[in-house]
Amino acid sequence: MFGEVVFAHPKPQLRWNGIDVASPDFLQRSSTPGRATEAVCSASGLTFAGDISLHNRRSLCKDLEFAGDSTGSLCDGQIVLAAYVKWGQGTPEFLLGEFAFVIWDAKKRFVFCCRDHLGARPFVYFADRFRFLFASDARQLLASQSVPRKLNHQKLCSIAVPGGLKLYPGETFHAGIYSLQPGSSMVADVEGVRRQTYWRPEIRESLVPRRDEDVFPALGELLKRAVESRLRLSTKPAALLSGGLDSSSIVSLAARGLSAMNRSLIAISGVVSDEARSQVTDERSYIDEFQGVPGIDIDYVTAPGRGPFDSINTPGQFELSFFRSSRHYLYEALEAHAVTRGADVLLQGDGGEFGPTNWGDPYYAELALRGRWLTLFRLIRAVRRTEGGSPTRRLAGQLIALAAPWSKFQPHVLLNAEFLNSARSSAPMPRRRQRWPNQMSQQQSELLGWLDRSPIRLELPEPVTLRRSYPLLDKQVLEFCLALSGGYKIRDGYSRYPIRKALDGLLPPRIQWRTGKTAFSPDYYARYNRQRPLALKFVAGIGNRDPIRQIVDVDALSRLLQQPSLPDKGMIALSTIPATIYLICFLRQFSDFRP
């Protein structure tokens, strides 16, 4: 998705991928009835352009008095245009789905922009007095001669303070390039940009049924609808399957619906190679619980030769951000396999921790400080029986976190001491968390923080033939789960209880009641050590006068790379070292940080 509005032109008009959308041939060629992909369409003097998949088409068509649209003759963009004619800038409040779009009003000479509630579709933009550029990928903006490539120093400084990534919402690490926040809309014209928020997650206890026996079936129905709506019009769906609760729930729900139509789901799983299985345990035994289940076709992916330092000699791979998982190689291999199999949608389990698979923190501390000792004692005894470990240690950790929330904070990367001190003096400290524990409020706060950090998440462009979709990041599912008290999150000795109970009889029991999980890409440290010489050579090439040293503590990075890493002492190798190298790669795109 890439578009531009040039306000200085005598007749301002929207351009889509460089072509004037006023051309009838272009509109005919770009509008795809019923498709949940990029679309351009026009009606009532308005032009819609964007990437959209509506999940409430039926109710919208009813409200808009369309004749049912039973044949799917209308594309989602046409439905949104009709909604805009009726509700104007209040339209987003009536939409459910995954979308990022603009509506160009040629008569009023402004463009209305909108992004879905949870930010499933990226939307970045650049604006000045003469033009407004928008895209799903910041690389498209950076390729334009109208957009300067300049580091946002203020945003970079925010990584030095606890909670700093929530500062300067909407800003990216590129000065002048902004990300429209999830749940937000805006109007852009010759006068500038005016943003507004149409949705923020709230705790609405009225969403939860009064009878306890109705609560989990209600959640199960919401989860079922969330998955089915994301399969609409998919001809060959796929899903990532790790063997954990999140991905297994999605696969179970999707397969159930597809098998009823004599269709199947491609379940793609990352596992270690057969040669490495004698040394490293993966999730294959749990994944195999789905072998023979109707509607599921399992593919294993091993990503041979890949590792955390792939592409460090091609810094362009890190143009958007240095916030990339060190296990990105496996995610990329899984998506590439989905494309090879011809999949058109890839369901992923991201975001479950904000809703149906939330761990329930700080419910222990909430019970203790409210004096509900008998309930706490019973809970600790049950959890010790089912999950093992030390629930009392978990309680102590929650109490310490309340008393000193930032005591264990360390920057995500290795920063030069001078830059670190300067950044901490310039970046304001975020507001302190509430001191009185409340599990529901804590879950809401975590979700809000995740939404505020959306501009720094690496938002990769989707493959041409594949769209990513996130059923657990569903507005209605999340709002329902936010309204569940802590006693629903931890019950019968199990944390993450809502999804376990909501999918009772659907999830394989061995997965439904499991309490642990092998790390994603369990052979990570072997891959890290195999690529460590490449990283050492990369860091050794940074000279004493290299401007990178103004930001990064290169000497500390070099020392940490000297020794191989093992899983029991590997957190630095898992996160800090790769992230610091990714930061160097990111900074190299700016002229001020080239040797």
mmCIF file of all heavy atoms in Angstrom, residues 175-196:
data_model
loop_
_atom_site.group_PDB
_atom_site.id
_atom_site.type_symbol
_atom_site.label_atom_id
_atom_site.label_comp_id
_atom_site.label_asym_id
_atom_site.label_seq_id
_atom_site.Cartn_x
_atom_site.Cartn_y
_atom_site.Cartn_z
ATOM 1 N N ALA A 175 12.912 10.607 11.751
ATOM 2 C CA ALA A 175 12.319 11.926 11.950
ATOM 3 C C ALA A 175 11.376 12.253 10.793
ATOM 4 O O ALA A 175 11.735 12.082 9.625
ATOM 5 C CB ALA A 175 13.404 12.991 12.060
ATOM 6 N N GLY A 176 10.186 12.701 11.122
ATOM 7 C CA GLY A 176 9.208 13.091 10.112
ATOM 8 C C GLY A 176 8.300 11.980 9.651
ATOM 9 O O GLY A 176 7.275 12.248 9.007
ATOM 10 N N ILE A 177 8.643 10.728 9.951
ATOM 11 C CA ILE A 177 7.784 9.597 9.592
ATOM 12 C C ILE A 177 7.037 9.159 10.844
ATOM 13 O O ILE A 177 7.646 8.863 11.868
ATOM 14 C CB ILE A 177 8.594 8.430 9.006
ATOM 15 C CG1 ILE A 177 9.248 8.851 7.684
ATOM 16 C CG2 ILE A 177 7.705 7.208 8.798
ATOM 17 C CD1 ILE A 177 10.067 7.771 7.033
ATOM 18 N N TYR A 178 5.724 9.130 10.750
ATOM 19 C CA TYR A 178 4.882 8.797 11.884
ATOM 20 C C TYR A 178 4.073 7.537 11.602
ATOM 21 O O TYR A 178 3.814 7.188 10.454
ATOM 22 C CB TYR A 178 3.921 9.949 12.197
ATOM 23 C CG TYR A 178 4.610 11.204 12.662
ATOM 24 C CD1 TYR A 178 5.107 12.122 11.742
ATOM 25 C CD2 TYR A 178 4.780 11.468 14.016
ATOM 26 C CE1 TYR A 178 5.762 13.273 12.158
ATOM 27 C CE2 TYR A 178 5.427 12.622 14.449
ATOM 28 C CZ TYR A 178 5.922 13.518 13.511
ATOM 29 O OH TYR A 178 6.567 14.648 13.933
ATOM 30 N N SER A 179 3.680 6.897 12.680
ATOM 31 C CA SER A 179 2.792 5.742 12.587
ATOM 32 C C SER A 179 1.455 6.134 13.193
ATOM 33 O O SER A 179 1.399 6.624 14.327
ATOM 34 C CB SER A 179 3.384 4.553 13.354
ATOM 35 O OG SER A 179 2.457 3.492 13.441
ATOM 36 N N LEU A 180 0.381 5.955 12.439
ATOM 37 C CA LEU A 180 -0.944 6.198 12.985
ATOM 38 C C LEU A 180 -1.199 5.145 14.053
ATOM 39 O O LEU A 180 -1.092 3.955 13.806
ATOM 40 C CB LEU A 180 -2.000 6.118 11.881
ATOM 41 C CG LEU A 180 -3.441 6.420 12.301
ATOM 42 C CD1 LEU A 180 -3.562 7.822 12.876
ATOM 43 C CD2 LEU A 180 -4.391 6.237 11.118
ATOM 44 N N GLN A 181 -1.521 5.596 15.264
ATOM 45 C CA GLN A 181 -1.697 4.677 16.385
ATOM 46 C C GLN A 181 -2.894 3.748 16.169
ATOM 47 O O GLN A 181 -3.892 4.143 15.554
ATOM 48 C CB GLN A 181 -1.911 5.474 17.673
ATOM 49 C CG GLN A 181 -0.686 6.249 18.133
ATOM 50 C CD GLN A 181 0.405 5.348 18.643
ATOM 51 O OE1 GLN A 181 1.235 4.860 17.865
ATOM 52 N NE2 GLN A 181 0.421 5.090 19.924
ATOM 53 N N PRO A 182 -2.819 2.518 16.663
ATOM 54 C CA PRO A 182 -3.992 1.641 16.610
ATOM 55 C C PRO A 182 -5.188 2.315 17.280
ATOM 56 O O PRO A 182 -5.046 3.039 18.265
ATOM 57 C CB PRO A 182 -3.540 0.409 17.401
ATOM 58 C CG PRO A 182 -2.046 0.416 17.277
ATOM 59 C CD PRO A 182 -1.655 1.849 17.263
ATOM 60 N N GLY A 183 -6.368 2.090 16.733
ATOM 61 C CA GLY A 183 -7.570 2.688 17.292
ATOM 62 C C GLY A 183 -7.669 4.178 17.072
ATOM 63 O O GLY A 183 -8.382 4.863 17.810
ATOM 64 N N SER A 184 -6.988 4.685 16.037
ATOM 65 C CA SER A 184 -6.970 6.125 15.779
ATOM 66 C C SER A 184 -7.361 6.423 14.336
ATOM 67 O O SER A 184 -7.233 5.588 13.450
ATOM 68 C CB SER A 184 -5.581 6.710 16.054
ATOM 69 O OG SER A 184 -5.224 6.563 17.409
ATOM 70 N N SER A 185 -7.812 7.642 14.134
ATOM 71 C CA SER A 185 -8.084 8.160 12.802
ATOM 72 C C SER A 185 -7.520 9.568 12.725
ATOM 73 O O SER A 185 -7.120 10.141 13.749
ATOM 74 C CB SER A 185 -9.590 8.173 12.508
ATOM 75 O OG SER A 185 -10.261 9.048 13.408
ATOM 76 N N MET A 186 -7.466 10.119 11.530
ATOM 77 C CA MET A 186 -6.968 11.487 11.398
ATOM 78 C C MET A 186 -7.435 12.091 10.090
ATOM 79 O O MET A 186 -7.843 11.373 9.159
ATOM 80 C CB MET A 186 -5.446 11.536 11.501
ATOM 81 C CG MET A 186 -4.702 10.937 10.343
ATOM 82 S SD MET A 186 -2.904 11.060 10.594
ATOM 83 C CE MET A 186 -2.313 10.308 9.088
ATOM 84 N N VAL A 187 -7.363 13.404 10.031
ATOM 85 C CA VAL A 187 -7.669 14.165 8.828
ATOM 86 C C VAL A 187 -6.419 14.940 8.450
ATOM 87 O O VAL A 187 -5.772 15.560 9.307
ATOM 88 C CB VAL A 187 -8.845 15.135 9.050
ATOM 89 C CG1 VAL A 187 -8.985 16.090 7.878
ATOM 90 C CG2 VAL A 187 -10.136 14.362 9.261
ATOM 91 N N ALA A 188 -6.045 14.891 7.167
ATOM 92 C CA ALA A 188 -4.886 15.630 6.667
ATOM 93 C C ALA A 188 -5.323 16.511 5.510
ATOM 94 O O ALA A 188 -6.028 16.052 4.601
ATOM 95 C CB ALA A 188 -3.786 14.667 6.214
ATOM 96 N N ASP A 189 -4.927 17.773 5.563
ATOM 97 C CA ASP A 189 -5.192 18.707 4.470
ATOM 98 C C ASP A 189 -4.074 19.733 4.419
ATOM 99 O O ASP A 189 -3.028 19.560 5.071
ATOM 100 C CB ASP A 189 -6.561 19.367 4.626
ATOM 101 C CG ASP A 189 -6.720 20.118 5.948
ATOM 102 O OD1 ASP A 189 -5.696 20.435 6.586
ATOM 103 O OD2 ASP A 189 -7.864 20.378 6.354
ATOM 104 N N VAL A 190 -4.265 20.797 3.680
ATOM 105 C CA VAL A 190 -3.222 21.792 3.511
ATOM 106 C C VAL A 190 -2.880 22.485 4.825
ATOM 107 O O VAL A 190 -1.799 23.058 4.982
ATOM 108 C CB VAL A 190 -3.653 22.823 2.435
ATOM 109 C CG1 VAL A 190 -4.763 23.712 2.970
ATOM 110 C CG2 VAL A 190 -2.457 23.650 1.960
ATOM 111 N N GLU A 191 -3.778 22.420 5.813
ATOM 112 C CA GLU A 191 -3.543 23.036 7.113
ATOM 113 C C GLU A 191 -2.720 22.152 8.048
ATOM 114 O O GLU A 191 -2.238 22.617 9.082
ATOM 115 C CB GLU A 191 -4.881 23.385 7.777
ATOM 116 C CG GLU A 191 -5.747 24.350 6.980
ATOM 117 C CD GLU A 191 -5.088 25.714 6.845
ATOM 118 O OE1 GLU A 191 -4.362 26.118 7.772
ATOM 119 O OE2 GLU A 191 -5.292 26.361 5.810
ATOM 120 N N GLY A 192 -2.589 20.883 7.726
ATOM 121 C CA GLY A 192 -1.820 19.978 8.574
ATOM 122 C C GLY A 192 -2.563 18.699 8.877
ATOM 123 O O GLY A 192 -3.496 18.309 8.165
ATOM 124 N N VAL A 193 -2.168 18.054 9.974
ATOM 125 C CA VAL A 193 -2.713 16.755 10.371
ATOM 126 C C VAL A 193 -3.400 16.901 11.726
ATOM 127 O O VAL A 193 -2.853 17.486 12.657
ATOM 128 C CB VAL A 193 -1.586 15.698 10.457
ATOM 129 C CG1 VAL A 193 -2.107 14.407 11.073
ATOM 130 C CG2 VAL A 193 -1.004 15.416 9.075
ATOM 131 N N ARG A 194 -4.612 16.331 11.833
ATOM 132 C CA ARG A 194 -5.352 16.359 13.090
ATOM 133 C C ARG A 194 -5.771 14.932 13.436
ATOM 134 O O ARG A 194 -6.578 14.325 12.739
ATOM 135 C CB ARG A 194 -6.581 17.267 12.967
ATOM 136 C CG ARG A 194 -6.201 18.723 12.692
ATOM 137 C CD ARG A 194 -7.404 19.590 12.421
ATOM 138 N NE ARG A 194 -8.123 19.228 11.199
ATOM 139 C CZ ARG A 194 -7.691 19.527 9.963
ATOM 140 N NH1 ARG A 194 -6.542 20.172 9.791
ATOM 141 N NH2 ARG A 194 -8.409 19.192 8.908
ATOM 142 N N ARG A 195 -5.201 14.420 14.526
ATOM 143 C CA ARG A 195 -5.436 13.032 14.936
ATOM 144 C C ARG A 195 -6.489 12.950 16.040
ATOM 145 O O ARG A 195 -6.614 13.867 16.858
ATOM 146 C CB ARG A 195 -4.131 12.394 15.429
ATOM 147 C CG ARG A 195 -3.112 12.133 14.336
ATOM 148 C CD ARG A 195 -1.814 11.601 14.914
ATOM 149 N NE ARG A 195 -1.095 12.628 15.651
ATOM 150 C CZ ARG A 195 -0.206 13.442 15.123
ATOM 151 N NH1 ARG A 195 0.092 13.348 13.845
ATOM 152 N NH2 ARG A 195 0.410 14.338 15.872
ATOM 153 N N GLN A 196 -7.188 11.826 16.079
ATOM 154 C CA GLN A 196 -8.119 11.569 17.166
ATOM 155 C C GLN A 196 -8.188 10.072 17.435
ATOM 156 O O GLN A 196 -7.938 9.251 16.550
ATOM 157 C CB GLN A 196 -9.511 12.103 16.846
ATOM 158 C CG GLN A 196 -10.169 11.477 15.630
ATOM 159 C CD GLN A 196 -11.536 12.062 15.340
ATOM 160 O OE1 GLN A 196 -11.965 13.021 15.975
ATOM 161 N NE2 GLN A 196 -12.239 11.472 14.381
#
